[in-house]
Amino acid sequence: MFARFRRKRINPVLRDLLQETHLSVNDFIYPLFARSGEGIREEVASMPGVYQMSIDEIVKECDVLKRLGIMSIILFGIPDVKDSVGSDAMCEHGIIAQTVREVKAAHPEMFVVTDLCFCEYTDHGHCGVLDPVLETVDNDITLDNLAKQAVIHAKAGADMIAPSGMMDGMIQAIRGGLDSAGFENLPVMSYSTKFASAYYGPFRDVAESSPSFGDRRSYQMNPANRREAIAESVEDELEGADILMVKPALAYMDIIRDVRENTALPLAVYNVSGEYAMLKMAAKAGVIDYDRVMMETLLGFKRAGADIIITYHAKEAAILLGK
């Protein structure tokens, strides 16, 4: 006697009743890229449908997102001036602080997450203050600056801080800075397992954050390392992270599942720029059913263990989910 699994698949209503994993518009955080000026909405060639926007355009974009049911955004900044320490990121008049204030004034119900790093703000494109001898980021000096940056974002009205620089001890430093400034109730979503990935290429176009020399392998994770990936996220939980993250997502489904099985904390994934661009280019070439592949990919992240998906597909997926 063999098992007849198909009995449960023939009727479409029964198929829906028995579906184990579900995708919802509430799962999504949508990335937005802010720059100074007015009326600016510049599409990025390597990421069709993704734009650098002035703050007034971001405020308008939030109207679109709300109509689609997307109530969470993550902000990245493109400053006018970059320097060796990323001063704009630690200034109350910096691009992200200004954007947070104006978005929250216009859309107080929008949940605003801020990416916390320095690669977009430094003239060398690395994620903190450089150690001139080792020619890599000075971890401990950067921790102090991350704490300052977090407090600036909190004072501007951010609803959650998301540190992405992969500095050792960053969650402890940020949590300490926030608590000391009276923001003990502000959650921290850590990019806790972030790999030194080739999938980030298009993001560096939109965020203008490519390193001027070398790469980020001295602080981002080796894509070959599984046990270390788990240890990184477990450590951030111990330091006080409220939500963990795996980045990228598509090539790291095993890591998503590993982290999921080693923590009870909520888990986010970042469906990164290269993953997005590949689907867009494949659709343009006519080799995939774009909508089906996109939704299957997002569903796969949920099945692997993700609670939250940061994705450039959020608007398109929300439209399909609403049909």
Side-chain angles (χ1 to χ4, degrees):
M1 181 68 179
F2 57 85
R4 291 192 178 274
F5 292 103
R6 291 186 58 204
R7 288 177 187 145
K8 301 189 287 277
R9 300 174 189 156
I10 294 171
N11 188 293
V13 175
L14 184 57
R15 282 201 304 270
D16 289 344
L17 283 171
L18 298 178
Q19 182 168 320
E20 298 175 21
T21 305
H22 295 270
L23 195 63
S24 163
V25 69
N26 296 323
D27 298 327
F28 302 141
I29 298 177
Y30 189 60
L32 290 169
F33 298 86
R35 68 176 317 138
S36 63
E38 291 186 7
I40 296 172
R41 186 181 177 91
E42 297 179 355
E43 189 172 24
V44 181
S46 58
M47 296 181 70
V50 175
Y51 301 83
Q52 293 181 346
M53 299 183 197
S54 52
I55 298 174
D56 59 313
E57 291 294 321
I58 284 179
V59 169
K60 294 176 187 176
E61 184 72 3
C62 288
D63 281 317
V64 175
L65 295 173
K66 288 195 300 185
R67 287 196 293 271
L68 293 171
I70 299 167
M71 299 301 298
S72 302
I73 59 173
I74 184 167
L75 294 175
F76 299 85
I78 304 156
D80 289 332
V81 178
K82 303 187 180 193
D83 60 26
S84 62
V85 297
S87 298
D88 187 276
M90 296 180 284
C91 173
E92 64 180 11
H93 303 297
I95 185 63
I96 287 296
Q98 291 182 58
T99 305
V100 172
R101 283 193 293 270
E102 295 196 29
V103 168
K104 293 301 288 186
H107 304 284
E109 71 279 28
M110 183 65 72
F111 189 80
V112 178
V113 185
T114 57
D115 176 81
L116 203 73
C117 194
F118 290 101
C119 59
E120 300 124 90
Y121 307 94
T122 55
D123 52 14
H124 47 74
H126 282 280
C127 299
V129 179
L130 290 181
D131 181 320
V133 177
L134 298 177
E135 294 189 335
T136 186
V137 175
D138 186 310
N139 191 93
D140 294 1
I141 292 175
T142 300
L143 293 183
D144 292 338
N145 289 350
L146 283 169
K148 294 174 186 175
Q149 186 184 21
V151 172
I152 289 291
H153 291 192
K155 289 180 176 178
D159 295 298
M160 185 160 69
I161 305 296
S164 62
M166 287 296 286
M167 296 296 109
D168 294 333
M170 66 181 184
I171 301 304
Q172 180 176 299
I174 291 165
R175 186 75 269 162
L178 290 172
D179 291 356
S180 296
F183 295 103
E184 60 275 357
N185 291 320
L186 193 70
V188 174
M189 177 174 67
S190 176
Y191 289 64
S192 54
T193 297
K194 180 179 178 182
F195 292 90
S197 172
Y199 281 95
Y200 303 149
F203 174 91
R204 292 171 184 170
D205 294 337
V206 63
E208 300 180 6
S209 61
S210 295
S212 62
F213 68 91
D215 53 42
R216 296 176 179 144
R217 286 183 288 182
S218 65
Y219 42 101
Q220 294 178 359
M221 274 205 56
N222 185 339
N225 291 3
R226 184 178 185 179
R227 296 189 302 274
E228 185 185 9
I230 300 168
E232 284 274 11
S233 280
V234 169
E235 173 61 25
D236 280 8
E237 178 175 4
L238 293 173
E239 291 182 21
D242 300 287
I243 301 171
L244 304 176
M245 189 194 303
V246 175
K247 180 183 179 182
L250 189 58
Y252 298 89
M253 293 284 201
D254 59 324
I255 306 301
I256 298 168
R257 172 51 52 186
D258 285 340
V259 175
R260 171 74 289 148
E261 292 179 349
N262 281 273
T263 181
L265 288 183
L267 180 60
V269 297
Y270 201 137
N271 178 208
V272 300
S273 60
E275 298 165 8
Y276 172 85
M278 285 194 304
L279 265 61
K280 285 292 185 182
M281 300 310 166
K284 186 176 181 180
V287 298
I288 63 169
D289 181 329
Y290 176 81
D291 287 349
R292 288 188 63 191
V293 171
M294 173 184 68
M295 297 302 279
E296 184 177 338
T297 300
L298 297 173
L299 189 66
F301 300 147
K302 287 292 296 291
R303 190 186 63 247
D307 301 294
I308 296 168
I309 303 171
I310 303 170
T311 180
Y312 307 98
H313 294 296
K315 291 196 293 183
E316 299 166 307
I319 292 169
L320 293 175
L321 288 168
K323 288 182 177 179

